[in-house]
Amino acid sequence: MRLAGPLRIVALVVSVGLTWIVVSILLGGPGSGFPRIQQLFTSPESSVTAAPRARRYKCGLPQPCPEEHLAFRVVSGAANVIGPKICLEDKMLMSSVKDNVGRGLNIALVNDVNDLLKFIRPLHEGTLVFVASYDDPATKMNEETRKLFSELGSRNAKELAFRDSWVFVGAKGVQNKSPFEQHVKNSKHTNKYEGWPEALEMEGCIPRRSTAS
């Protein structure tokens, strides 16, 4: 009696059954302790959930300003190589890219002491003043300019020296000293760069000036 036919049928049934078991295991069927087939071809890096991108607010602030406040960021120059930046309400007012910064005190690119006095003296009450140093803020300052900056709310204008780093936001007619000011002295013991201290970066929210109805 020939058994070739029945044996072929049995072999086919066994082959199909084994194939089904293997596929079930690889696909992670019920009770399977093996990884799913997708995991076999997935790198560990791609299986990690990507961290959500941090939301960007005006001028790159980490959080939005309250209503009736202005977002700002002021960055001093780094040594005499990288220029300062002044951003207000997401608008870059001054930067090297805009090509409107220069060494000294950057207040709409005013560096000469006589022009500086002409620029500051006629300011209207409540006018905001943003200042970022670049290379050297003090050499061309005289006593009158230091006094004017002090009247704008600066605590450090009177002691600024050669190649100090300084960022400041003040206003015409303020009654108290401004909370928005940073100053690092030029010192060979603490300088980050050869001959210059570190660059300063300051950001925050300034209340809008209230207007009488």
Side-chain angles (χ1 to χ4, degrees):
M1 182 175 180
R2 300 181 64 182
L3 299 177
L7 287 177
R8 288 177 182 172
I9 295 174
V10 171
L12 179 61
V13 171
V14 171
S15 176
V16 172
L18 289 175
T19 301
W20 181 85
I21 293 172
V22 171
V23 171
S24 177
I25 291 173
L26 289 177
L27 292 178
S32 171
F34 296 89
R36 294 179 181 273
I37 192 170
Q38 293 91 335
Q39 294 175 328
L40 298 178
F41 299 96
T42 304
S43 64
E45 291 80 3
S46 61
S47 64
V48 178
T49 304
R53 295 182 61 183
R55 184 174 177 181
R56 180 188 177 280
Y57 297 99
K58 291 180 179 179
C59 291
L61 269 63
Q63 57 187 18
C65 287
E67 292 186 9
E68 298 303 316
H69 283 68
L70 305 173
F72 79 91
R73 168 172 277 143
V74 181
V75 184
S76 70
N80 62 344
V81 179
I82 303 175
K85 298 178 182 178
I86 298 177
C87 175
L88 178 65
E89 282 294 279
D90 225 21
K91 180 180 180 181
M92 191 63 68
L93 303 180
M94 305 184 73
S95 70
S96 296
V97 174
K98 295 180 71 69
D99 196 24
N100 62 350
V101 298
R103 295 178 182 176
L105 292 175
N106 282 271
I107 318 169
L109 195 57
V110 174
N111 191 34
D112 183 81
V113 64
N114 293 321
D115 290 340
L116 179 60
L117 289 172
K118 293 177 182 178
F119 180 76
I120 294 179
R121 280 174 181 155
L123 290 179
H124 297 292
E125 196 82 3
T127 300
L128 292 173
V129 179
F130 296 81
V131 184
S133 67
Y134 183 24
D135 185 15
D136 173 33
T139 300
K140 293 186 177 182
M141 292 182 71
N142 59 20
E143 289 303 313
E144 185 176 0
T145 57
R146 293 174 188 272
K147 180 182 178 183
L148 286 171
F149 277 119
S150 296
E151 292 173 352
L152 292 172
S154 172
R155 299 177 184 273
N156 305 120
K158 291 183 178 180
E159 58 188 62
L160 285 176
F162 178 65
R163 286 185 175 174
D164 286 359
S165 286
W166 183 45
V167 289
F168 167 65
V169 180
K172 180 74 171 181
V174 295
Q175 301 300 316
N176 301 309
K177 293 300 182 183
S178 171
F180 303 113
E181 183 173 26
Q182 294 182 17
H183 173 222
V184 175
K185 283 190 167 296
N186 169 25
S187 170
K188 63 180 181 180
H189 302 295
T190 58
N191 282 348
K192 182 175 182 178
Y193 310 103
E194 185 177 352
W196 289 270
E198 63 184 294
L200 294 174
E201 182 171 345
M202 180 175 63
E203 62 186 30
C205 304
I206 304 173
R208 290 180 182 272
R209 181 188 177 192
S210 58
T211 56
S213 56

